[in-house]
């Protein structure tokens, strides 16, 4: 369980770094890990034993707006689709500059369902 927590924290951390380096200053991060989101926003990050959580907290305190939000796994169709595509074989960051059409369709569905 701790490994999953750390892996998800690392994914958020790397996503924040990428967003910052690309010049985004308004970022929304969605995760189905309620404990991780709670740890970051409710003051537990500074005392966390997980270095990634401490670093996420530091990155969130930069001069930008970051919203972290818990979503149900079923509500995030894009993440679910991408996870099934790689089947646990992903060990590096992949940036899709032009996502495949099935991913774009799912993104639209996710946006439509959140409105």
């Amino acid at each position: 369980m701790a490994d999953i927590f750390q892996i998800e924290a690392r994914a958020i951390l790397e996503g924040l770094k990428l967003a910052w380096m690309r010049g985004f200053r308004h970022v929304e991060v969605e995760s189905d890990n309620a404990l991780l989101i709670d740890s970051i926003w409710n003051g537990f990050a500074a005392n966390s034993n997980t270095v990634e959580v401490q670093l996420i907290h530091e990155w969130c305190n930069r001069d930008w707006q970051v919203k972290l939000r818990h979503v149900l796994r079923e509500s995030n169709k894009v993440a679910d689709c991408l996870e099934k595509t790689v089947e646990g074989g992903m060990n590096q960051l992949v940036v899709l500059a032009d996502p495949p059409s099935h991913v774009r369709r799912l993104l639209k569905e996710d946006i439509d369902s959140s409105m």
Side-chain angles (χ1 to χ4, degrees), residues 55-105:
L55 292 171
I56 290 168
H57 186 70
E58 289 176 20
W59 277 87
C60 287
N61 286 328
R62 288 180 171 225
D63 187 24
W64 63 340
Q65 292 182 353
V66 177
K67 292 182 183 177
L68 292 168
R69 185 165 64 123
H70 174 254
V71 294
L72 298 176
R73 181 173 181 79
E74 304 81 40
S75 298
N76 195 342
K77 296 173 188 169
V78 175
D80 192 44
C81 174
L82 292 173
E83 179 187 17
K84 288 176 182 170
T85 301
V86 298
E87 297 180 13
M90 180 81 55
N91 61 1
Q92 62 187 13
L93 178 65
V94 174
V95 178
L96 299 173
D98 187 24
S101 60
H102 68 282
V103 173
R104 286 195 303 270
R105 187 179 68 252

Side-chain angles (χ1 to χ4, degrees), residues 24-81:
F24 293 99
R25 295 302 179 256
H26 298 275
V27 177
E28 291 186 28
V29 177
E30 296 179 342
S31 173
D32 64 354
N33 189 325
L35 179 61
L36 177 56
I37 299 299
D38 194 50
S39 296
I40 296 165
W41 277 137
N42 292 326
F44 304 120
N47 300 325
S48 175
N49 291 331
T50 306
V51 172
E52 289 83 358
V53 173
Q54 295 172 2
L55 292 171
I56 290 168
H57 186 70
E58 289 176 20
W59 277 87
C60 287
N61 286 328
R62 288 180 171 225
D63 187 24
W64 63 340
Q65 292 182 353
V66 177
K67 292 182 183 177
L68 292 168
R69 185 165 64 123
H70 174 254
V71 294
L72 298 176
R73 181 173 181 79
E74 304 81 40
S75 298
N76 195 342
K77 296 173 188 169
V78 175
D80 192 44
C81 174

